[in-house]
Amino acid sequence: MARIVRHNDESVREGYIRNGGKEVKLFTSALKAFQCNNRIVMAQRKHLDDFLLGRIIGRLECGRTQLEVSEELGIAQSVISRLWQRFQDDGNVSRCYSTGRPRVTTPNEDRYLAVTAKRNRRSTASDLSRQLSSATGTTVSRQTVYRRLGHIGLYARRPVRCVPLTATHCRLRLAWIREHALWTPQQWSCVMFSDESRFSLQSDSRRTFIWRAPGTRYHQEKTIERHRYGDAGWLIWGGIIHGSTTDLHVQSVTMTGHIYRDVILEQHVRLFRGAMGAEFLFMDDNARPHHANIVGECLQS
């Protein structure tokens, strides 16, 4: 039986294959399988090379029909038809290469977006798009603004909310640390540290975002100072001392001087002070209820 070899030899007549220098006629079923196999191989090609394009046009110029060329070369007739039409229109069948869709913004406009976002980090992508349109006349979408700023490392993130500390606060804390730097563990065992945390039941972010680069989360210009929350929430108070802790106190009402004295000091702090005597030292923060007159009188009694 003749061995079938796939080839593109123009000298072989239609319905024949070359075997050892001789043309061997194929049976109808074998011919269809051979042509089908050739089509599958050709379908795997992404683009036709210039040599094959020249062969197609040459056959058509010699009077061959598009169907004959399609069956002979294993290429879809629609492809042959488009190539022939393009050749008749402009005389060229080479593939036209393109660089893709042109960018909407220029490098100068990209720098304008970056500078504007850094000057006002709370501006939204829509705001930046409108500012660019009014300044240069170029209209871009929000997604384009996100992509341009992302290329230089700026992303929209929620700002960190922190308690404001003034220069006086920092100076007093540093002085206190230096004063107690040489304390012994026995001295620290008589100190109680206390603090309370407020957990808001509603979001306080108001969907505010800022433009910042990775690793700059806690930079001062990228934080929002806030220590009051007007929405409903829960307050949890606790104290720690060397080798022991107090019970957690949870309440849903606002902390006042009277509540701080009657609940926190009388029920939690007074027990530790009675056990340690005059060496006991109670530490709290600068919250307004902690400095009420009734609180000071309770601690001195």
Side-chain angles (χ1 to χ4, degrees):
M1 181 176 180
R3 182 169 60 92
I4 298 177
V5 181
R6 188 179 298 111
H7 58 84
N8 290 319
D9 193 348
E10 299 180 12
S11 62
V12 181
R13 291 176 297 172
E14 183 178 359
Y16 291 80
I17 63 171
R18 185 177 297 280
N19 182 31
K22 298 181 180 180
E23 292 184 1
V24 180
K25 184 175 178 60
L26 291 172
F27 294 103
T28 304
S29 59
L31 177 60
K32 291 182 178 180
F34 177 71
Q35 293 174 345
C36 181
N37 196 13
N38 269 338
R39 288 194 182 96
I40 294 175
V41 173
M42 293 303 298
Q44 294 175 352
R45 295 187 181 182
K46 294 182 179 180
H47 302 289
L48 302 179
D49 54 32
D50 293 338
F51 179 74
L52 185 56
L53 294 175
R55 293 177 59 191
I56 295 173
I57 299 301
R59 281 168 168 74
L60 294 175
E61 288 183 330
C62 291
R64 305 286 293 275
T65 64
Q66 296 181 7
L67 181 59
E68 292 175 348
V69 177
S70 173
E71 293 179 350
E72 180 179 351
L73 299 180
I75 301 175
Q77 184 179 357
S78 59
V79 177
I80 304 294
S81 176
R82 287 195 299 269
L83 291 175
W84 182 243
Q85 185 64 39
R86 189 194 309 172
F87 180 76
Q88 290 179 331
D89 293 340
D90 53 18
N92 184 21
V93 293
S94 298
R95 181 171 177 265
C96 298
Y97 294 92
S98 62
T99 58
R101 182 179 179 181
R103 289 172 61 92
V104 180
T105 58
T106 63
N108 290 336
E109 292 171 343
D110 294 343
R111 285 191 292 270
Y112 176 84
L113 288 174
V115 171
T116 307
K118 291 179 180 179
R119 288 178 178 175
N120 185 10
R121 295 185 177 272
R122 298 188 186 182
S123 58
T124 63
S126 299
D127 296 336
L128 296 176
S129 176
R130 286 191 293 267
Q131 294 178 21
L132 178 65
S133 178
S134 61
T136 64
T138 302
T139 302
V140 296
S141 63
R142 295 172 57 253
Q143 295 300 326
T144 301
V145 175
Y146 284 124
R147 287 195 298 269
R148 296 297 185 269
L149 296 180
H151 290 163
I152 62 173
L154 290 180
Y155 303 93
R157 297 291 185 267
R158 294 185 184 273
V160 176
R161 297 186 176 270
C162 61
V163 177
L165 293 178
T166 63
T168 303
H169 293 155
C170 298
R171 185 177 66 256
L172 294 177
R173 281 162 171 74
L174 180 60
W176 190 90
I177 292 174
R178 290 174 176 174
E179 181 181 352
H180 299 80
L182 301 179
W183 270 31
T184 63
Q186 183 178 1
Q187 291 175 302
W188 284 113
S189 63
C190 298
V191 180
M192 172 183 284
F193 293 90
S194 67
D195 195 12
E196 63 268 1
S197 297
R198 174 72 183 273
F199 296 89
S200 179
L201 299 181
Q202 299 181 7
S203 174
D204 66 313
S205 64
R206 301 182 185 274
R207 298 185 63 84
T208 300
F209 288 83
I210 61 172
W211 298 102
R212 65 173 177 84
T216 61
R217 175 182 176 87
Y218 296 101
H219 288 191
Q220 184 176 1
E221 67 275 8
K222 301 178 181 63
T223 60
I224 296 181
E225 295 183 349
R226 183 174 182 180
H227 65 284
R228 294 183 181 179
Y229 299 91
D231 300 328
W234 290 86
L235 186 141
I236 300 178
W237 178 93
I240 59 174
I241 199 169
H242 184 71
S244 180
T245 60
T246 66
D247 295 333
L248 291 179
H249 172 72
V250 182
Q251 68 179 40
S252 60
V253 297
T254 303
M255 179 67 72
T256 62
H258 289 85
I259 296 178
Y260 189 72
R261 181 196 62 181
D262 298 339
V263 178
I264 302 300
L265 299 182
E266 295 292 343
Q267 299 182 15
H268 299 281
V269 178
R270 185 179 291 273
L271 298 177
F272 286 88
R273 187 179 67 173
M276 297 180 183
E279 300 296 331
F280 178 75
L281 181 62
F282 179 65
M283 299 291 298
D284 56 10
D285 55 24
N286 293 326
R288 185 173 299 177
H290 301 172
H291 296 277
N293 293 332
I294 56 176
V295 173
E297 294 173 358
C298 178
L299 292 175
Q300 294 175 3
S301 61

